[in-house]
Amino acid sequence: MFQCVLSSSVLQPHSTSCLFKHLFYHSATPASQKQPEPAVRAPFVKLCIFSALQVARQLLLQQQQVSGLKSPKRNDKQPALQVPVSVAMMTPQVITPQQMQQILQQQVLSPQQLQVLLQQQQALMLQQQQLQEFYKKQQEQLQLQLIQQQHAGKQPKEQQQVATQQLAFQQQLLQMQQLQQQHLLALQRQGLLTIQPGQPALPLQPLAQGMIPTELQQLWKEVTSAHSAEETTGNNHSSLDLTTTCVSSSAPSKTSLIMNPHASTNGQLSVHPPKRESLSHEEHPHSHPLYGHGVCKWPGCEAVCEDFQSFLKHLNSEHALDDRSTAQCRVQMQVVQQLELQLAKDKERLQAMMTHLHVKSTEPKAAPQPLNLVSSVTLSKSASEASPQSLPHTPTTPTAPLTPVTQGPSVITTTNMHTVGPIRRRYSDKYNVPISSADIAQNQEFYKNAEVRPPFTYASLIRQAILESPEKQLTLNEIYNWFTRMFAYFRRNAATWKNAVRHNLSLHKCFVRVENVKGAVWTVDEVEFQKRRPQKISGNPSLIKNMQSSHAYCTPLNAALQASMAENSIPLYTTASMGNPTLGSLASAMREELNGAMEHTNSNESDSSPGRSPLQAVHPVHVKEEPLDPEEAEGPLSLVTTANHSPDFDHDRDYEDEPVNEDME
DNA sequence: CCACTACTAAACAAGC
DNA sequence: GGCTTGTTTAGTAGTG
């Protein structure tokens, strides 16, 4: 029932490759992030890893942006706009695997390993310093050359060479910094989880770009010094120290708090945890944010506490206000801060993506028809936001999945639709948007509101409309309504697309007309429908290959979709019961289609379909002309009303009020 | 170049 | 007669 589905046209080879890229991106990213999680792992460690990744990623981002600005070379090759885009796309993949590995491995470090780590760290520092020096020299050289050229006006090549060298070094630097960052965080974590003999704080200036470096530095100092203090002195002493440490060390944090408004609240919360806790648990005897499921939730602790009382005991004894706890708090603060930062970034990216989808890259030919888009609001918004890391695609791919830049057929202006005469546009193949599951789910709302042509063939859409109905049958008018309900695009220019719908219904064998008491309804002959694509696919070996290779993505694809839908509390394909059935079901139908296509590639022709869709083993009527159908016996009740989407149909009326529309209800 | 598919336009018929 | 529904044909365009 839940199958991967894409419209037949969507599966055209061209778009398929894009799709796979896309899918790979979507599937690879989360997978790698969760990657090899050891069985036993404190949540704290997860947080640390996560934050480490975020830090590194952020670092990389900022670095790239900086370097993108600095190096003229980069701008030569690609529009400045695109640089951050590709970076944004790549970062998750670039960072994750190795870093994960390292971080995870480092998690179980023995003292010796720690030693090694530290040595590595130092070595890194050294290398980095060297690199930096080199880099400086290069810069100076470049400056010099620039000056010379300004006077002499020549030798651009050399300059370029230097620039590229510079770039390369920047990248190396970047990598070093990443590694460094990573080591630092690993060490931090270790320092908290195991007692780490005091290693002098390391010079950390190069880290500056990534995240508040002074804070990190401070953190590191504190953590290490705290441990050494703990080792050398007793607990009593340290509990005395804490206050001082707390006070003195809070200075840098405060500065950062000022810089980051979000952090301030967190800072407040986490800086004085012990006090708060004692207060809070008095007020709310059995709810404590640090206690849950009989386990202490203090980062890295996970001590089992039978009851709340013992937890309190544990809390007061093990996590008293001492240097260590303070340091841990600070780290936690960092973590939260980083998460917030990341969240902000992701939000921004999401915004930019959405904006981008509403906007049109305005380029191609002096098109008679303007390129689209939705509202001026989004437009203006996009102007300011679309720049940084929004675009989901690398500049190198000519066919950006979500934005068919080419001749604007995929998008049509509202205003021009009526006036512009017949515009031939073909959206299914070329301009087709390869669609990942997430896209589908996400874009559903988008298509509902934005007058963007959906990247599905009429046949697929019709089928979807029909399958979505509880009886798996719709009248023509109901199909129309579905179109207008689901796609803003189809709220205009009704004559054209309605004609196309009728044309498709008549033309394709997979659509079966069933006479009924009250008229005629259309159903889908799934067998026929499935037959359609194999032809296409079977003719093209490369496609088959792609399809097969893509099979592996189907699962994560589904998972991702379902997850995203679950997040939005969108039920899957329970059409009859839910208020807004369309979103989930469209997506699921898309999956279905994809799966169906793949089944056919795997088991060509053979009658695999009946098993697959008991649900729509509707009417195996192959002769279109035949009005009579076993279906007729089934009952005339269904078509009478649109009981299933009664709520939605009010919307339909709205749409139908439009000038062009000549629907009758 | 050809076959195939998809989209668009339009003519036409039947029924209400 | 006007409209919807349904069928059919023709032309265009993209892809392999």
Side-chain angles (χ1 to χ4, degrees):
Chain A
M1 191 159 169
F2 299 133
Q3 296 172 314
C4 288
V5 180
L6 291 174
S7 82
S8 55
S9 59
V10 168
L11 293 174
Q12 297 272 339
H14 159 78
S15 47
T16 321
S17 58
C18 287
L19 171 63
F20 294 148
K21 268 187 227 155
H22 215 69
L23 288 182
F24 179 75
Y25 168 70
H26 284 299
S27 60
T29 307
S32 51
Q33 274 174 356
K34 316 179 195 157
Q35 222 184 9
E37 286 195 45
V40 190
R41 172 95 74 76
F44 171 75
V45 175
K46 286 184 191 165
L47 274 176
C48 279
I49 290 171
F50 184 54
S51 72
L53 288 178
Q54 304 314 326
V55 169
R57 182 174 171 220
Q58 209 191 327
L59 222 179
L60 183 63
L61 261 173
Q62 292 185 3
Q63 275 293 309
Q64 293 264 9
Q65 282 168 355
V66 167
S67 64
L69 285 176
K70 273 187 188 169
S71 76
K73 189 75 201 283
R74 183 169 287 237
N75 290 336
D76 290 343
K77 276 205 166 179
Q78 299 159 348
L81 235 185
Q82 292 176 322
V83 174
V85 171
S86 58
V87 170
M89 289 297 292
M90 289 167 53
T91 16
Q93 282 172 339
V94 171
I95 297 177
T96 355
Q98 303 95 339
Q99 290 197 332
M100 264 324 246
Q101 208 99 29
Q102 289 193 14
I103 292 172
L104 289 174
Q105 284 168 359
Q106 290 162 6
Q107 187 185 335
V108 283
L109 290 181
S110 64
Q112 292 92 344
Q113 284 173 313
L114 270 172
Q115 206 64 36
V116 173
L117 240 173
L118 286 169
Q119 284 168 2
Q120 282 178 355
Q121 171 100 4
Q122 282 175 317
L124 274 173
M125 296 297 190
L126 252 168
Q127 285 179 358
Q128 194 172 19
Q129 276 177 355
Q130 288 171 353
L131 264 174
Q132 274 201 319
E133 278 177 15
F134 201 119
Y135 179 54
K136 263 188 189 166
K137 279 182 192 168
Q138 290 288 333
Q139 250 182 331
E140 286 169 4
Q141 209 176 330
L142 183 66
Q143 289 279 354
L144 239 160
Q145 227 153 8
L146 267 173
I147 293 169
Q148 282 176 356
Q149 272 175 23
Q150 278 177 352
H151 293 300
K154 56 180 178 181
Q155 301 294 344
K157 271 192 181 173
E158 267 184 52
Q159 185 191 353
Q160 280 192 351
Q161 270 186 347
V162 177
T164 29
Q165 278 180 354
Q166 197 177 356
L167 204 100
F169 279 107
Q170 273 181 327
Q171 283 169 350
Q172 284 188 37
L173 248 176
L174 187 71
Q175 285 178 358
M176 303 289 285
Q177 287 176 355
Q178 274 177 260
L179 276 172
Q180 202 176 11
Q181 186 82 40
Q182 186 181 308
H183 281 292
L184 176 74
L185 278 157
L187 288 172
Q188 276 181 359
R189 187 191 60 241
Q190 287 299 325
L192 294 171
L193 295 179
T194 68
I195 307 293
Q196 166 64 26
Q199 172 76 17
L202 300 164
L204 292 172
Q205 320 94 355
L207 283 173
Q209 290 97 332
M211 59 188 288
I212 315 110
T214 49
E215 202 168 43
L216 263 182
Q217 197 171 349
Q218 185 67 27
L219 237 171
W220 168 249
K221 268 185 193 163
E222 283 172 11
V223 171
T224 49
S225 64
H227 290 312
S228 51
E230 241 179 49
E231 273 190 342
T232 52
T233 67
N235 282 340
N236 299 337
H237 182 271
S238 63
S239 62
L240 260 182
D241 274 342
L242 11 148
T243 38
T244 55
T245 332
C246 211
V247 171
S248 62
S249 64
S250 62
S253 311
K254 286 247 172 85
T255 54
S256 78
L257 296 184
I258 292 165
M259 293 164 62
N260 184 352
H262 292 293
S264 63
T265 50
N266 296 314
Q268 296 289 353
L269 276 176
S270 49
V271 163
H272 315 288
K275 282 183 192 167
R276 283 236 159 182
E277 278 148 19
S278 54
L279 281 179
S280 64
H281 67 67
E282 275 167 17
E283 291 161 8
H284 311 287
H286 290 289
S287 72
H288 197 292
L290 287 173
Y291 182 64
H293 299 97
V295 170
C296 173
K297 287 183 169 177
W298 187 276
C301 178
E302 278 193 336
V304 178
C305 304
E306 297 291 342
D307 52 21
F308 195 72
Q309 288 306 319
S310 59
F311 160 71
L312 289 179
K313 238 186 201 168
H314 162 82
L315 194 64
N316 288 325
S317 62
E318 296 298 314
H319 308 301
L321 180 61
D322 58 6
D323 290 0
R324 192 176 165 200
S325 299
T326 309
Q328 286 176 323
C329 273
R330 195 149 290 118
V331 171
Q332 184 69 13
M333 241 166 72
Q334 279 290 310
V335 169
V336 171
Q337 212 170 315
Q338 283 306 314
L339 288 174
E340 281 180 341
L341 233 159
Q342 180 60 29
L343 176 65
K345 288 211 167 201
D346 276 339
K347 271 187 180 170
E348 199 180 327
R349 189 187 306 187
L350 171 65
Q351 187 59 47
M353 284 168 74
M354 292 176 76
T355 306
H356 170 72
L357 290 179
H358 281 70
V359 175
K360 201 56 221 166
S361 25
T362 60
E363 54 288 353
K365 28 174 149 184
Q369 73 255 47
L371 309 177
N372 74 359
L373 275 270
V374 193
S375 66
S376 53
V377 180
T378 52
L379 252 172
S380 59
K381 218 198 215 165
S382 71
S384 59
E385 290 186 19
S387 40
Q389 349 143 270
S390 52
L391 311 168
H393 255 254
T394 63
T396 47
T397 30
T399 57
L402 295 180
T403 39
V405 238
T406 48
Q407 46 247 65
S410 63
V411 202
I412 292 137
T413 55
T414 343
T415 48
N416 280 4
M417 273 311 293
H418 328 283
T419 56
V420 173
I423 300 171
R424 285 193 192 286
R425 52 185 78 77
R426 174 192 180 85
Y427 58 75
S428 65
D429 293 340
K430 177 119 172 242
Y431 310 128
N432 204 343
V433 182
I435 295 170
S436 78
S437 58
D439 293 336
I440 294 170
Q442 257 186 344
N443 291 341
Q444 194 53 49
E445 279 305 312
F446 174 71
Y447 288 120
K448 268 187 178 175
N449 301 316
E451 245 170 274
V452 174
R453 176 152 208 153
F456 313 110
T457 61
Y458 280 115
S460 299
L461 290 174
I462 294 168
R463 171 177 173 270
Q464 182 49 42
I466 294 172
L467 291 186
E468 219 169 72
S469 69
E471 305 289 331
K472 308 285 175 283
Q473 57 182 26
L474 287 179
T475 64
L476 180 64
N477 194 46
E478 285 166 346
I479 296 174
Y480 289 162
N481 290 338
W482 186 87
F483 270 69
T484 50
R485 188 172 66 246
M486 298 299 292
F487 301 95
Y489 176 84
F490 292 122
R491 288 164 211 164
R492 300 273 179 194
N493 208 27
T496 300
W497 66 261
K498 283 182 177 177
N499 185 27
V501 167
R502 289 196 304 275
H503 169 73
N504 272 265
L505 283 170
S506 291
L507 195 66
H508 298 305
K509 274 195 231 165
C510 59
F511 299 120
V512 181
R513 185 173 175 271
V514 179
E515 289 283 352
N516 220 318
V517 181
K518 214 212 157 182
V521 292
W522 290 93
T523 61
V524 177
D525 181 352
E526 200 60 23
V527 179
E528 278 299 326
F529 188 86
Q530 301 298 339
K531 269 190 198 167
R532 288 167 56 239
R533 274 153 312 150
Q535 293 177 341
K536 221 199 253 167
I537 293 167
S538 63
N540 177 3
S542 63
L543 221 188
I544 294 174
K545 208 170 154 196
N546 280 341
M547 297 297 291
Q548 285 169 343
S549 67
S550 77
H551 210 11
Y553 296 119
C554 209
T555 308
L557 187 145
N558 278 343
L561 175 64
Q562 284 172 21
S564 89
M565 297 221 259
E567 268 176 37
N568 300 316
S569 343
I570 296 159
L572 281 174
Y573 215 80
T574 44
T575 343
S577 57
M578 54 205 195
N580 180 10
T582 48
L583 188 104
S585 52
L586 177 63
S588 69
M590 298 305 184
R591 290 194 307 257
E592 185 181 305
E593 217 174 310
L594 180 55
N595 274 356
M598 291 200 265
E599 272 177 44
H600 270 270
T601 34
N602 293 337
S603 61
N604 242 355
E605 269 286 297
S606 72
D607 220 343
S608 56
S609 21
R612 159 171 12 108
S613 49
L615 146 136
Q616 66 262 99
V618 199
H619 331 281
V621 184
H622 296 263
V623 185
K624 284 209 71 130
E625 265 62 41
E626 295 206 322
L628 41 137
D629 201 83
E631 180 73 0
E632 289 191 2
E634 272 196 21
L637 61 144
S638 53
L639 33 152
V640 183
T641 59
T642 53
N644 49 323
H645 324 71
S646 43
D648 286 330
F649 268 63
D650 289 333
H651 290 292
D652 299 343
R653 289 214 188 82
D654 294 342
Y655 304 145
E656 283 158 13
D657 288 338
E658 303 225 353
V660 220
N661 235 325
E662 59 276 304
D663 284 10
M664 53 142 208
E665 179 70 69

